Amino acid sequence: MEVRSDTTQARSDNLLPPSATKPPRVQVWFVTVCSTVLVWTCLVQLFAAGELWHNRIFTGLTNHISRFSSPVESVPLPPPSRNYTSNGILLVSCNGGLNQMRSAICDMVAVARLLNLTLVVPELDKTSFWADPSGFEDIFDVRHFIDSLRDEVRILRRLPKRYSNKYGYQIFQMPPVSWSDQNYYLNQILPLFSKHKVVHFKRTDTRLANNCLPLSLQRLRCRVNFQGLKFTPQLEALGSKLVRMLQQRGPFVALHLRYEMDILAFSGCTHGCSEEEAAELKKMRYTYPWWREKEIVSEERRAQGLCPLTPEEVALVLKALGFDKNTQIYIAAGEIYGSEQRLSVLREAFPKIVKKEMLLESAALQQFQNHSSQMAALDFMVSVASNTFIPTYDGNMAKVVEGHRRYLGFKKTILLDRKRLVELLDLHDNKTLTWDQFALAVKVALESRTGAPTHRRVIPDKPKEEDYFYANPQECLCEGTHSVLGSCRVRYRFFGYSNLRPIRLFSPGPIGFGTLIFGSISGRFFGSGYFSQP
């Protein structure tokens, strides 16, 4: 017993008392507080990093996980099909260049909706000056076009075989009257479908009025333009690449320099050309019988402001507006008449001039070359994305790009008053105006022509002279039927000028060729670039 007791006592002596293993209460409290602060600090930093890098990290991680977890991509469902009894089939052949055809497609969808028709995917012009063999599916995403508008119009990829000439069916063809309102289509066109199951519109340019149409039709035209007409994935990818390359170099101006052979020949403008060049342009004008005006006095046309500015004139105007040598300028145009030699003065004034052929490798452009409409689509995307857009002629591209930029938040578009500028250029050329006087006069002439909110001009008796709907689709820029200058608050696609209040979009969703997020606060440009959305 004594031995066991001594052993037990010895073991007890070797053990520390329980109180000796516990740290002081102050120390425990300090460690607990420090640990808590550290944990919360880490959590706060983690959530902050998550917000900043969500798109890059978390979205990317989700995409990687989804590759293994589910092979099916999540895509938004198309709208439900509209259930209606079709009054017939509308077949249309668009004429003109890319943007002329784009506007016509929007008009024809609106006509099909008004008359409860079935629309066949439009046929694009292959016989114009550009002789582009591209079909609709070569430029636009056909499936997206059909699905995105299925709640408005039933659209077929092609005409059913039973209505083809091969089966002896004679299709009734006609060009609708230009600038016609809904009464024309309801009273004169719709009855044709009771007699002819299929009606073919041979020409579609400017066949729908700019004004005096129901609000629903005007907004449908916008929906087709900004959402339904989405470029093919190949075009979108290359357009996105172009925009990224330009933005990485800093802000840039898209100059739609319409000093091209076709427009000079069509308009009869030969200012600055040699006698041989003027003769060549006149010969070309006589080659195309649908260019009705043949004998044109160039200087009279120029004085009326009906000629595109020459590259030399553009250089002076840009310098007068305050653009310096470091300005990055993207030439959104085809082959300039006179080639690089004609650009020498403009390039000397602005060395940072680039074109898509200079930015992209020839292999990237190879599949689009010799297809003018596809090349124009690339210029279109860059022009819409630019910090400033400056067209030198009121062509279809200039007008449609202007409308897109209005829709995206009234992005800066400098609309040149060519009649006034020609007067000033001539006065400066003959030394009547000093440079400072000329520069000030140019700024004053253009200060109110920057694509800001404005009424669309209506001339009931002269629809041809009205402001073009697609340059200023004001019904799609505000809620209700108020004008953009009335009680309606200007709405923006995503971001806008800080002194105007954005409101709900009339029709949410991606625009036709993807979505551009840009904005301006206190005159400074910011943006998140160009990207596609489903």
Side-chain angles (χ1 to χ4, degrees), residues 354-412:
V354 294
K355 297 188 289 186
K356 52 185 173 292
E357 293 83 359
M358 298 168 59
L359 294 172
L360 299 172
E361 297 179 357
S362 57
L365 277 175
Q366 185 175 5
Q367 61 176 318
F368 305 112
Q369 288 177 337
N370 301 321
H371 296 83
S372 60
S373 292
Q374 296 182 48
M375 296 289 273
L378 297 174
D379 285 338
F380 179 89
M381 287 184 269
V382 174
S383 297
V384 172
S386 63
N387 297 71
T388 304
F389 175 63
I390 305 177
T392 63
Y393 189 74
D394 293 334
N396 288 287
M397 176 171 169
K399 293 175 180 177
V400 176
V401 169
E402 177 189 348
H404 269 71
R405 292 174 67 83
R406 287 179 182 275
Y407 184 78
L408 291 173
F410 298 96
K411 299 173 65 179
K412 189 173 185 179

Side-chain angles (χ1 to χ4, degrees), residues 67 89 113 143 203 209 220 233 277 327 337 345 396 444 451 523:
R67 293 179 185 176
I89 299 177
R113 177 63 174 83
R143 175 47 54 193
R203 295 179 67 87
L220 177 57
E277 289 173 331
T327 303
Y337 191 56
V345 173
N396 288 287
V444 171

Side-chain angles (χ1 to χ4, degrees), residues 99-100 102-103 179 206 210 225-226 256 258 306 380 383-384 389-407 413-415 418 451 456-457 463-473:
N99 293 284
Q100 184 173 324
R102 183 188 188 103
S103 303
W179 295 289
T206 62
N210 289 308
N225 191 21
F226 301 127
H256 185 42
R258 197 66 169 93
L306 301 177
F380 179 89
S383 297
V384 172
F389 175 63
I390 305 177
T392 63
Y393 189 74
D394 293 334
N396 288 287
M397 176 171 169
K399 293 175 180 177
V400 176
V401 169
E402 177 189 348
H404 269 71
R405 292 174 67 83
R406 287 179 182 275
Y407 184 78
T413 301
I414 300 179
L415 305 171
R418 292 187 304 279
R456 192 171 63 240
R457 183 177 52 176
K464 188 175 181 179
E465 298 179 17
E466 292 181 334
D467 288 343
Y468 193 43
F469 172 82
Y470 293 101
N472 185 15

Side-chain angles (χ1 to χ4, degrees), residues 47-78:
F47 281 115
E51 290 296 322
L52 288 173
W53 300 98
H54 176 270
N55 287 335
R56 295 185 179 181
I57 299 177
F58 294 148
T59 303
L61 181 60
T62 303
N63 291 339
H64 284 297
I65 294 174
S66 63
R67 293 179 185 176
F68 299 98
S69 61
S70 176
V72 181
E73 294 184 4
S74 176
V75 295
L77 295 176

Side-chain angles (χ1 to χ4, degrees), residues 27 53 55 84 131 284 310 319 361 372 397 489 494 511:
Q27 183 179 353
W53 300 98
N55 287 335
Y84 67 100
M284 181 181 181
T310 67
K319 289 169 66 176
E361 297 179 357
S372 60
M397 176 171 169
R489 293 173 295 174
F494 287 101
I511 62 178

Side-chain angles (χ1 to χ4, degrees), residues 140-354:
F140 301 109
D141 188 329
V142 180
R143 175 47 54 193
H144 175 80
F145 177 69
I146 295 173
D147 289 345
S148 65
L149 300 170
R150 57 186 283 178
D151 59 331
E152 296 282 1
V153 179
R154 189 175 305 141
I155 303 176
L156 305 177
R157 279 183 175 264
R158 56 188 62 86
L159 185 69
K161 290 183 179 180
R162 62 181 180 275
Y163 297 116
S164 65
N165 293 330
K166 182 179 179 180
Y167 289 85
Y169 191 89
Q170 297 297 319
I171 297 176
F172 179 76
Q173 299 185 12
M174 63 168 292
V177 177
S178 298
W179 295 289
S180 298
D181 61 13
Q182 63 171 340
N183 294 326
Y184 166 79
Y185 285 98
L186 288 170
N187 299 330
Q188 298 190 44
I189 298 299
L190 183 58
L192 294 175
F193 287 91
S194 61
K195 183 179 179 181
H196 310 280
K197 184 65 177 177
V198 180
V199 174
H200 180 198
F201 288 170
K202 295 188 297 182
R203 295 179 67 87
T204 56
D205 59 321
T206 62
R207 304 294 150 159
L208 194 58
N210 289 308
N211 303 294
C212 302
L213 293 175
L215 183 62
S216 59
L217 281 188
Q218 298 288 60
R219 289 186 169 179
L220 177 57
R221 294 165 92 179
C222 290
R223 180 178 173 188
V224 182
N225 191 21
F226 301 127
Q227 297 181 12
L229 289 176
K230 179 181 179 182
F231 291 131
T232 63
Q234 294 81 5
L235 280 171
E236 282 200 351
L238 197 57
S240 174
K241 182 178 180 179
L242 266 174
V243 172
R244 285 198 307 270
M245 294 174 72
L246 288 163
Q247 288 177 340
Q248 287 170 0
R249 301 179 178 201
F252 69 97
V253 174
L255 178 65
H256 185 42
L257 188 61
R258 197 66 169 93
Y259 199 78
E260 299 160 300
M261 188 175 185
D262 64 305
I263 195 60
L264 295 176
F266 173 78
S267 61
C269 298
T270 58
H271 180 75
C273 295
S274 65
E275 291 184 2
E276 292 77 11
E277 289 173 331
E280 182 183 36
L281 293 172
K282 184 175 182 179
K283 180 181 179 181
M284 181 181 181
R285 185 163 65 252
Y286 273 87
T287 302
Y288 294 92
W290 53 86
W291 292 357
R292 298 177 183 177
E293 203 171 2
K294 303 301 181 184
E295 292 299 324
I296 301 174
V297 179
S298 175
E299 291 307 312
E300 290 183 3
R301 185 64 59 91
R302 177 174 176 267
Q304 295 169 353
L306 301 177
C307 290
L309 296 184
T310 67
E312 296 85 357
E313 292 172 334
V314 171
L316 290 173
V317 171
L318 292 180
K319 289 169 66 176
L321 288 172
F323 293 101
D324 59 27
K325 283 182 172 288
N326 294 320
T327 303
Q328 182 183 195
I329 297 178
Y330 176 88
I331 302 293
E335 181 65 29
I336 300 301
Y337 191 56
S339 193
E340 280 297 315
Q341 182 179 356
R342 200 61 199 265
L343 287 175
S344 60
V345 173
L346 181 61
R347 192 178 293 281
E348 182 181 356
F350 300 96
K352 292 186 176 180
I353 285 181
V354 294

